[in-house]
Amino acid sequence: MVRRDPISLYPGSAHVYRGDCCVRVHCGLRARNQGLPGQVTRAIVLVMETNGKSPEPVHTGTATQDWTEASADPTYRAAVVDLLGALAYGELSAFERLAEDAKLAPTLADKAQLASMAAAEFQHFAQLRDRLAVIDAEPTEAMEPFAAALDEFHRQTAPSDWLEGLIKAYVGDSIAADFYREVATRLDSDTRALVLGVLDDSGHSSFAVEKVRAAIEEDPRVGGRLALWARRLMGEALSQAQRVVADRDALSTMLVGGLADGFDLAEVGRMFSRITEAHTKRMAALGLAA
């Protein structure tokens, strides 16, 4: 049987039993009872399997409501404030990092491109900050719980050169964006539109791919070092995503409230599998082994 108790995510593993079938959640998660309110309105996302095509989410529950309807649930409102706070600090950090990385740019044109991307990230931050104020949440207080973890992530993954900075902007930020897009499927329509809007890549992808592939073509030995760096970013980013969810009860309740009959850990496992698959495709675009 699937557990109906409220849970959060922690490193480890879990098995989910449904009838005679056991699914192992292989993304490093386990359930722990948190004693959270049992009657929480949750978004329900059903996945429609079509002939060989990518699954398409069908929004029901909270995901069909607007903010006015959905925010009547205090647990949901707290989860959204957490989500927007984490995103806002992430965008502010991205602005700071890109502005700093611009100093490593080998040409004036590259410096200008990174500066432009940094400006876009700050605009995203401003949208999130303003939205928090509109829903009567103090932006600084909403960001504060996530500052230490994100600062530590960036400290541990500080690039040593221009190319590592590009890989981090492309791979690391994309993994975080994939995670937030997954969460967005469980949001009310107003919040979902905002989140998806601020997750635009601001020109990261094509710029990073072009520069990294050119560097590898010029010196193939660079590829091995950058592949190792990207793998490290992958591990750190997924660990960060799990910590973000695990440390905030309301956010974890919303994330794993995937099916009407209880918390579906198998869907959480599939979510992290999709994130991993997207990472593999991005590595291939760079000409690197995942």
Side-chain angles (χ1 to χ4, degrees):
M1 298 292 294
V2 178
R3 284 192 59 154
R4 295 177 182 270
D5 298 329
I7 61 170
S8 64
L9 309 181
Y10 285 84
S13 62
H15 291 77
V16 179
Y17 290 88
R18 179 163 298 176
D20 296 327
C21 179
C22 173
V23 179
R24 185 174 190 277
V25 179
H26 57 79
C27 58
L29 308 175
R30 65 180 171 83
R32 193 183 75 167
N33 191 343
Q34 292 291 321
L36 302 178
Q39 301 300 321
V40 178
T41 302
R42 303 178 181 89
I44 305 166
V45 179
L46 304 178
V47 177
M48 304 292 291
E49 297 290 348
T50 56
N51 300 325
K53 297 180 181 179
S54 298
E56 297 180 1
V58 176
H59 301 295
T60 64
T62 303
T64 65
Q65 300 174 356
D66 61 17
W67 170 251
T68 301
E69 296 175 284
S71 61
D73 179 345
T75 302
Y76 176 78
R77 183 186 184 282
V80 169
V81 170
D82 276 349
L83 180 68
L84 298 185
L87 264 173
Y89 193 75
E91 294 292 340
L92 184 60
S93 297
F95 159 72
E96 293 177 319
R97 191 181 72 252
L98 286 169
E100 187 68 21
D101 288 350
K103 298 176 182 178
L104 301 173
T107 70
L108 183 59
D110 292 335
K111 187 186 296 288
Q113 179 67 26
L114 278 188
S116 176
M117 287 192 275
E121 299 290 6
F122 189 83
Q123 290 300 314
H124 292 162
F125 160 74
Q127 292 177 52
L128 293 160
R129 177 198 60 198
D130 293 347
R131 179 59 180 170
L132 282 163
V134 166
I135 64 175
D136 297 323
E138 206 290 312
T140 302
E141 291 180 4
M143 292 188 289
E144 188 63 36
F146 308 99
L150 284 168
D151 288 347
E152 180 62 14
F153 168 75
H154 289 306
R155 188 191 67 78
Q156 292 180 356
T157 58
S160 62
D161 60 22
W162 159 249
L163 290 175
E164 287 190 2
L166 286 179
I167 292 289
K168 183 176 179 180
Y170 177 56
V171 173
D173 290 359
S174 294
I175 293 169
D178 286 344
F179 169 72
Y180 287 119
R181 286 190 186 96
E182 292 279 353
V183 177
T185 64
R186 290 161 168 79
L187 299 175
D188 65 273
S189 58
D190 297 322
T191 306
R192 183 168 64 248
L194 171 65
V195 169
L196 294 177
V198 301
L199 291 176
D200 287 343
D201 75 3
S202 305
H204 285 61
S205 297
S206 59
F207 180 71
V209 169
E210 176 189 349
K211 296 298 179 180
V212 171
R213 291 189 73 96
I216 294 173
E217 184 176 347
E218 182 178 343
D219 182 4
R221 293 173 300 178
V222 170
R225 174 173 67 86
L226 294 180
L228 289 173
W229 172 243
R231 291 185 197 116
R232 179 184 170 192
L233 289 171
M234 174 66 173
E236 294 285 352
L238 286 181
S239 294
Q240 179 201 359
Q242 292 182 30
R243 285 195 297 270
V244 165
V245 176
D247 291 344
R248 308 297 295 179
D249 288 345
L251 191 57
S252 65
T253 300
M254 179 179 68
L255 175 62
V256 294
L259 296 177
D261 62 352
F263 292 93
D264 188 357
L265 288 179
E267 174 57 24
V268 176
R270 289 190 290 271
M271 177 189 75
F272 280 98
S273 292
R274 289 191 293 270
I275 292 173
T276 301
E277 290 167 7
H279 168 71
T280 300
K281 293 178 181 178
R282 278 189 288 268
M283 292 286 280
L286 290 169
L288 300 174

